[in-house]
PDB file of all heavy atoms in Angstrom:
ATOM      1  N   HIS A  34     -16.440  12.215  -7.916  1.00 98.00           N
ATOM      2  CA  HIS A  34     -17.548  13.145  -7.668  1.00 98.00           C
ATOM      3  C   HIS A  34     -17.277  13.890  -6.368  1.00 98.00           C
ATOM      4  O   HIS A  34     -17.013  13.258  -5.332  1.00 98.00           O
ATOM      5  CB  HIS A  34     -18.859  12.375  -7.513  1.00 98.00           C
ATOM      6  CG  HIS A  34     -19.262  11.589  -8.727  1.00 98.00           C
ATOM      7  ND1 HIS A  34     -20.036  12.105  -9.736  1.00 98.00           N
ATOM      8  CD2 HIS A  34     -18.997  10.292  -9.089  1.00 98.00           C
ATOM      9  CE1 HIS A  34     -20.245  11.183 -10.669  1.00 98.00           C
ATOM     10  NE2 HIS A  34     -19.625  10.070 -10.296  1.00 98.00           N
ATOM     11  N   LEU A  35     -17.375  15.220  -6.418  1.00 98.00           N
ATOM     12  CA  LEU A  35     -17.080  16.018  -5.216  1.00 98.00           C
ATOM     13  C   LEU A  35     -17.857  15.520  -3.989  1.00 98.00           C
ATOM     14  O   LEU A  35     -17.263  15.201  -2.952  1.00 98.00           O
ATOM     15  CB  LEU A  35     -17.416  17.502  -5.492  1.00 98.00           C
ATOM     16  CG  LEU A  35     -17.331  18.441  -4.287  1.00 98.00           C
ATOM     17  CD1 LEU A  35     -15.924  18.484  -3.711  1.00 98.00           C
ATOM     18  CD2 LEU A  35     -17.791  19.842  -4.675  1.00 98.00           C
ATOM     19  N   ASN A  36     -19.168  15.432  -4.099  1.00 98.00           N
ATOM     20  CA  ASN A  36     -19.965  15.074  -2.914  1.00 98.00           C
ATOM     21  C   ASN A  36     -19.861  13.598  -2.539  1.00 98.00           C
ATOM     22  O   ASN A  36     -20.366  13.195  -1.499  1.00 98.00           O
ATOM     23  CB  ASN A  36     -21.433  15.479  -3.116  1.00 98.00           C
ATOM     24  CG  ASN A  36     -21.660  16.941  -2.740  1.00 98.00           C
ATOM     25  OD1 ASN A  36     -21.802  17.288  -1.575  1.00 98.00           O
ATOM     26  ND2 ASN A  36     -21.660  17.808  -3.743  1.00 98.00           N
ATOM     27  N   PHE A  77     -27.824   6.268  -3.792  1.00 95.00           N
ATOM     28  CA  PHE A  77     -28.486   7.508  -4.226  1.00 95.00           C
ATOM     29  C   PHE A  77     -29.329   8.115  -3.108  1.00 95.00           C
ATOM     30  O   PHE A  77     -29.497   9.338  -3.052  1.00 95.00           O
ATOM     31  CB  PHE A  77     -29.253   7.283  -5.532  1.00 95.00           C
ATOM     32  CG  PHE A  77     -28.285   7.134  -6.672  1.00 95.00           C
ATOM     33  CD1 PHE A  77     -27.957   5.881  -7.177  1.00 95.00           C
ATOM     34  CD2 PHE A  77     -27.608   8.236  -7.170  1.00 95.00           C
ATOM     35  CE1 PHE A  77     -27.005   5.739  -8.175  1.00 95.00           C
ATOM     36  CE2 PHE A  77     -26.642   8.111  -8.161  1.00 95.00           C
ATOM     37  CZ  PHE A  77     -26.339   6.858  -8.667  1.00 95.00           C
ATOM     38  N   PHE A  80     -26.792  10.051  -1.226  1.00 96.00           N
ATOM     39  CA  PHE A  80     -26.474  11.335  -1.862  1.00 96.00           C
ATOM     40  C   PHE A  80     -27.525  12.392  -1.534  1.00 96.00           C
ATOM     41  O   PHE A  80     -27.190  13.563  -1.349  1.00 96.00           O
ATOM     42  CB  PHE A  80     -26.306  11.178  -3.379  1.00 96.00           C
ATOM     43  CG  PHE A  80     -24.942  10.659  -3.766  1.00 96.00           C
ATOM     44  CD1 PHE A  80     -24.787   9.521  -4.530  1.00 96.00           C
ATOM     45  CD2 PHE A  80     -23.796  11.327  -3.341  1.00 96.00           C
ATOM     46  CE1 PHE A  80     -23.525   9.046  -4.864  1.00 96.00           C
ATOM     47  CE2 PHE A  80     -22.531  10.868  -3.668  1.00 96.00           C
ATOM     48  CZ  PHE A  80     -22.396   9.720  -4.428  1.00 96.00           C
ATOM     49  N   HIS A  84     -26.412  15.801   0.197  1.00 96.00           N
ATOM     50  CA  HIS A  84     -26.727  17.112  -0.395  1.00 96.00           C
ATOM     51  C   HIS A  84     -27.448  18.010   0.606  1.00 96.00           C
ATOM     52  O   HIS A  84     -27.256  19.226   0.596  1.00 96.00           O
ATOM     53  CB  HIS A  84     -27.528  16.937  -1.685  1.00 96.00           C
ATOM     54  CG  HIS A  84     -26.701  16.363  -2.806  1.00 96.00           C
ATOM     55  ND1 HIS A  84     -27.199  15.531  -3.777  1.00 96.00           N
ATOM     56  CD2 HIS A  84     -25.382  16.495  -3.096  1.00 96.00           C
ATOM     57  CE1 HIS A  84     -26.241  15.184  -4.615  1.00 96.00           C
ATOM     58  NE2 HIS A  84     -25.126  15.750  -4.215  1.00 96.00           N
ATOM     59  N   THR A 116     -18.586  17.773 -10.442  1.00 98.00           N
ATOM     60  CA  THR A 116     -19.660  18.064  -9.496  1.00 98.00           C
ATOM     61  C   THR A 116     -20.868  18.621 -10.232  1.00 98.00           C
ATOM     62  O   THR A 116     -20.739  19.212 -11.301  1.00 98.00           O
ATOM     63  CB  THR A 116     -19.203  19.026  -8.386  1.00 98.00           C
ATOM     64  OG1 THR A 116     -20.201  19.042  -7.355  1.00 98.00           O
ATOM     65  CG2 THR A 116     -18.956  20.448  -8.890  1.00 98.00           C
ATOM     66  N   THR A 117     -22.051  18.418  -9.648  1.00 98.00           N
ATOM     67  CA  THR A 117     -23.308  18.866 -10.235  1.00 98.00           C
ATOM     68  C   THR A 117     -23.638  20.256  -9.699  1.00 98.00           C
ATOM     69  O   THR A 117     -23.919  20.394  -8.503  1.00 98.00           O
ATOM     70  CB  THR A 117     -24.462  17.901  -9.833  1.00 98.00           C
ATOM     71  OG1 THR A 117     -23.984  16.547  -9.877  1.00 98.00           O
ATOM     72  CG2 THR A 117     -25.667  18.076 -10.718  1.00 98.00           C
ATOM     73  N   LYS A 119     -25.690  23.148  -8.367  1.00 97.00           N
ATOM     74  CA  LYS A 119     -27.029  23.017  -7.769  1.00 97.00           C
ATOM     75  C   LYS A 119     -27.656  24.359  -7.466  1.00 97.00           C
ATOM     76  O   LYS A 119     -26.958  25.315  -7.141  1.00 97.00           O
ATOM     77  CB  LYS A 119     -26.924  22.206  -6.466  1.00 97.00           C
ATOM     78  CG  LYS A 119     -26.436  20.797  -6.708  1.00 97.00           C
ATOM     79  CD  LYS A 119     -26.139  20.064  -5.412  1.00 97.00           C
ATOM     80  CE  LYS A 119     -25.493  18.723  -5.699  1.00 97.00           C
ATOM     81  NZ  LYS A 119     -24.110  18.834  -6.207  1.00 97.00           N
ATOM     82  N   TYR A 131     -23.012  28.278  -6.780  1.00 98.00           N
ATOM     83  CA  TYR A 131     -22.484  26.985  -6.313  1.00 98.00           C
ATOM     84  C   TYR A 131     -21.066  26.800  -6.843  1.00 98.00           C
ATOM     85  O   TYR A 131     -20.125  26.470  -6.117  1.00 98.00           O
ATOM     86  CB  TYR A 131     -23.398  25.850  -6.799  1.00 98.00           C
ATOM     87  CG  TYR A 131     -22.890  24.445  -6.491  1.00 98.00           C
ATOM     88  CD1 TYR A 131     -23.312  23.767  -5.348  1.00 98.00           C
ATOM     89  CD2 TYR A 131     -21.996  23.791  -7.353  1.00 98.00           C
ATOM     90  CE1 TYR A 131     -22.848  22.477  -5.071  1.00 98.00           C
ATOM     91  CE2 TYR A 131     -21.529  22.524  -7.086  1.00 98.00           C
ATOM     92  CZ  TYR A 131     -21.955  21.865  -5.948  1.00 98.00           C
ATOM     93  OH  TYR A 131     -21.482  20.596  -5.676  1.00 98.00           O
ATOM     94  N   ASP A 185     -27.187  15.950 -13.815  1.00 98.00           N
ATOM     95  CA  ASP A 185     -27.854  14.878 -13.052  1.00 98.00           C
ATOM     96  C   ASP A 185     -29.001  14.335 -13.905  1.00 98.00           C
ATOM     97  O   ASP A 185     -29.770  15.120 -14.488  1.00 98.00           O
ATOM     98  CB  ASP A 185     -28.378  15.476 -11.729  1.00 98.00           C
ATOM     99  CG  ASP A 185     -28.955  14.421 -10.797  1.00 98.00           C
ATOM    100  OD1 ASP A 185     -29.684  13.526 -11.267  1.00 98.00           O
ATOM    101  OD2 ASP A 185     -28.684  14.506  -9.583  1.00 98.00           O
ATOM    102  N   SER A 214     -24.282  12.009 -15.139  1.00 98.00           N
ATOM    103  CA  SER A 214     -24.302  11.031 -14.041  1.00 98.00           C
ATOM    104  C   SER A 214     -25.650  11.081 -13.324  1.00 98.00           C
ATOM    105  O   SER A 214     -26.594  11.679 -13.817  1.00 98.00           O
ATOM    106  CB  SER A 214     -23.143  11.290 -13.077  1.00 98.00           C
ATOM    107  OG  SER A 214     -23.158  12.618 -12.607  1.00 98.00           O
ATOM    108  N   GLY A 215     -25.722  10.476 -12.155  1.00 98.00           N
ATOM    109  CA  GLY A 215     -26.978  10.389 -11.421  1.00 98.00           C
ATOM    110  C   GLY A 215     -27.524   8.976 -11.483  1.00 98.00           C
ATOM    111  O   GLY A 215     -26.966   8.105 -12.157  1.00 98.00           O
ATOM    112  N   HIS A 242     -21.571   8.406 -17.811  1.00 98.00           N
ATOM    113  CA  HIS A 242     -21.791   7.165 -17.060  1.00 98.00           C
ATOM    114  C   HIS A 242     -22.570   6.252 -17.992  1.00 98.00           C
ATOM    115  O   HIS A 242     -23.684   6.605 -18.414  1.00 98.00           O
ATOM    116  CB  HIS A 242     -22.606   7.435 -15.801  1.00 98.00           C
ATOM    117  CG  HIS A 242     -21.794   7.999 -14.687  1.00 98.00           C
ATOM    118  ND1 HIS A 242     -21.126   9.185 -14.780  1.00 98.00           N
ATOM    119  CD2 HIS A 242     -21.531   7.514 -13.444  1.00 98.00           C
ATOM    120  CE1 HIS A 242     -20.487   9.412 -13.647  1.00 98.00           C
ATOM    121  NE2 HIS A 242     -20.707   8.421 -12.816  1.00 98.00           N
ATOM    122  N   GLU A 245     -24.013   1.342 -16.250  1.00 97.00           N
ATOM    123  CA  GLU A 245     -23.880   1.010 -14.814  1.00 97.00           C
ATOM    124  C   GLU A 245     -25.004   0.063 -14.395  1.00 97.00           C
ATOM    125  O   GLU A 245     -24.898  -0.659 -13.406  1.00 97.00           O
ATOM    126  CB  GLU A 245     -23.914   2.310 -13.991  1.00 97.00           C
ATOM    127  CG  GLU A 245     -23.240   2.197 -12.623  1.00 97.00           C
ATOM    128  CD  GLU A 245     -23.196   3.519 -11.875  1.00 97.00           C
ATOM    129  OE1 GLU A 245     -23.776   4.520 -12.337  1.00 97.00           O
ATOM    130  OE2 GLU A 245     -22.572   3.540 -10.793  1.00 97.00           O
ATOM    131  N   HIS A 265     -17.581   3.306 -16.002  1.00 98.00           N
ATOM    132  CA  HIS A 265     -18.209   2.039 -15.583  1.00 98.00           C
ATOM    133  C   HIS A 265     -18.225   0.954 -16.653  1.00 98.00           C
ATOM    134  O   HIS A 265     -17.513  -0.012 -16.557  1.00 98.00           O
ATOM    135  CB  HIS A 265     -19.601   2.275 -14.983  1.00 98.00           C
ATOM    136  CG  HIS A 265     -19.552   3.142 -13.764  1.00 98.00           C
ATOM    137  ND1 HIS A 265     -18.816   2.800 -12.657  1.00 98.00           N
ATOM    138  CD2 HIS A 265     -20.091   4.359 -13.492  1.00 98.00           C
ATOM    139  CE1 HIS A 265     -18.924   3.756 -11.748  1.00 98.00           C
ATOM    140  NE2 HIS A 265     -19.685   4.718 -12.228  1.00 98.00           N
ATOM    141  N   SER A 290     -16.288   0.665  -6.244  1.00 97.00           N
ATOM    142  CA  SER A 290     -17.663   1.131  -6.448  1.00 97.00           C
ATOM    143  C   SER A 290     -18.502   0.052  -7.142  1.00 97.00           C
ATOM    144  O   SER A 290     -19.605  -0.274  -6.704  1.00 97.00           O
ATOM    145  CB  SER A 290     -17.622   2.404  -7.289  1.00 97.00           C
ATOM    146  OG  SER A 290     -18.870   2.671  -7.866  1.00 97.00           O
ATOM    147  N   ASP A 320     -14.384   6.996  -8.072  1.00 98.00           N
ATOM    148  CA  ASP A 320     -15.816   7.282  -8.144  1.00 98.00           C
ATOM    149  C   ASP A 320     -16.223   8.152  -6.955  1.00 98.00           C
ATOM    150  O   ASP A 320     -16.461   9.342  -7.095  1.00 98.00           O
ATOM    151  CB  ASP A 320     -16.627   5.982  -8.194  1.00 98.00           C
ATOM    152  CG  ASP A 320     -18.010   6.178  -8.796  1.00 98.00           C
ATOM    153  OD1 ASP A 320     -18.297   7.289  -9.258  1.00 98.00           O
ATOM    154  OD2 ASP A 320     -18.799   5.203  -8.809  1.00 98.00           O
ATOM    155  N   ASP A 321     -16.289   7.522  -5.780  1.00 97.00           N
ATOM    156  CA  ASP A 321     -16.737   8.220  -4.571  1.00 97.00           C
ATOM    157  C   ASP A 321     -15.903   7.703  -3.396  1.00 97.00           C
ATOM    158  O   ASP A 321     -16.316   6.773  -2.690  1.00 97.00           O
ATOM    159  CB  ASP A 321     -18.218   7.914  -4.321  1.00 97.00           C
ATOM    160  CG  ASP A 321     -19.104   8.383  -5.471  1.00 97.00           C
ATOM    161  OD1 ASP A 321     -19.211   9.592  -5.682  1.00 97.00           O
ATOM    162  OD2 ASP A 321     -19.672   7.522  -6.169  1.00 97.00           O
ATOM    163  N   PHE A 325     -17.538   5.078  -0.673  1.00 95.00           N
ATOM    164  CA  PHE A 325     -17.094   3.681  -0.766  1.00 95.00           C
ATOM    165  C   PHE A 325     -15.851   3.401   0.079  1.00 95.00           C
ATOM    166  O   PHE A 325     -15.215   2.353  -0.085  1.00 95.00           O
ATOM    167  CB  PHE A 325     -16.845   3.300  -2.232  1.00 95.00           C
ATOM    168  CG  PHE A 325     -18.086   3.399  -3.085  1.00 95.00           C
ATOM    169  CD1 PHE A 325     -18.146   4.281  -4.151  1.00 95.00           C
ATOM    170  CD2 PHE A 325     -19.203   2.639  -2.793  1.00 95.00           C
ATOM    171  CE1 PHE A 325     -19.303   4.391  -4.924  1.00 95.00           C
ATOM    172  CE2 PHE A 325     -20.367   2.737  -3.552  1.00 95.00           C
ATOM    173  CZ  PHE A 325     -20.413   3.625  -4.623  1.00 95.00           C
TER     174      PHE A 325
HETATM  175  C1  6MZ B  10     -23.931   7.660 -11.089  1.00 52.24           C
HETATM  176  C2  6MZ B  10     -23.076   9.027  -9.455  1.00 52.24           C
HETATM  177  C3  6MZ B  10     -22.393   7.932  -8.871  1.00 52.24           C
HETATM  178  O1  6MZ B  10     -22.168  16.013  -8.217  1.00 52.24           O
HETATM  179  O2  6MZ B  10     -23.172  16.343  -5.964  1.00 52.24           O
HETATM  180  N1  6MZ B  10     -22.813  10.105  -8.714  1.00 52.24           N
HETATM  181  N2  6MZ B  10     -23.838   8.886 -10.558  1.00 52.24           N
HETATM  182  N3  6MZ B  10     -23.335   6.581 -10.578  1.00 52.24           N
HETATM  183  C4  6MZ B  10     -22.567   6.663  -9.472  1.00 52.24           C
HETATM  184  N4  6MZ B  10     -22.015   5.498  -8.985  1.00 52.24           N
HETATM  185  C5  6MZ B  10     -22.011   5.123  -7.644  1.00 52.24           C
HETATM  186  N5  6MZ B  10     -21.704   8.390  -7.814  1.00 52.24           N
HETATM  187  C6  6MZ B  10     -21.959   9.726  -7.733  1.00 52.24           C
HETATM  188  O3  6MZ B  10     -21.621  14.398  -6.395  1.00 52.24           O
HETATM  189  C7  6MZ B  10     -22.609  13.438  -6.105  1.00 52.24           C
HETATM  190  C8  6MZ B  10     -23.420  13.129  -7.342  1.00 52.24           C
HETATM  191  O4  6MZ B  10     -22.609  12.435  -8.293  1.00 52.24           O
HETATM  192  C9  6MZ B  10     -23.373  11.453  -8.986  1.00 52.24           C
HETATM  193  C10 6MZ B  10     -24.793  11.546  -8.445  1.00 52.24           C
HETATM  194  O5  6MZ B  10     -25.547  12.413  -9.274  1.00 52.24           O
HETATM  195  C11 6MZ B  10     -24.573  12.172  -7.071  1.00 52.24           C
HETATM  196  O6  6MZ B  10     -25.713  12.859  -6.593  1.00 52.24           O
HETATM  197  P1  6MZ B  10     -21.949  15.926  -6.747  1.00 52.24           P
HETATM  198  O7  6MZ B  10     -20.729  16.673  -6.296  1.00 52.24           O
END
Side-chain angles (χ1 to χ4, degrees):
H34 299 270
L35 173 61
N36 275 279
F77 288 101
F80 279 124
H84 290 147
T116 192
T117 320
K119 297 172 187 71
Y131 175 95
D185 186 317
S214 55
H242 281 61
E245 204 176 6
H265 299 301
S290 162
D320 202 5
D321 299 293
F325 298 118

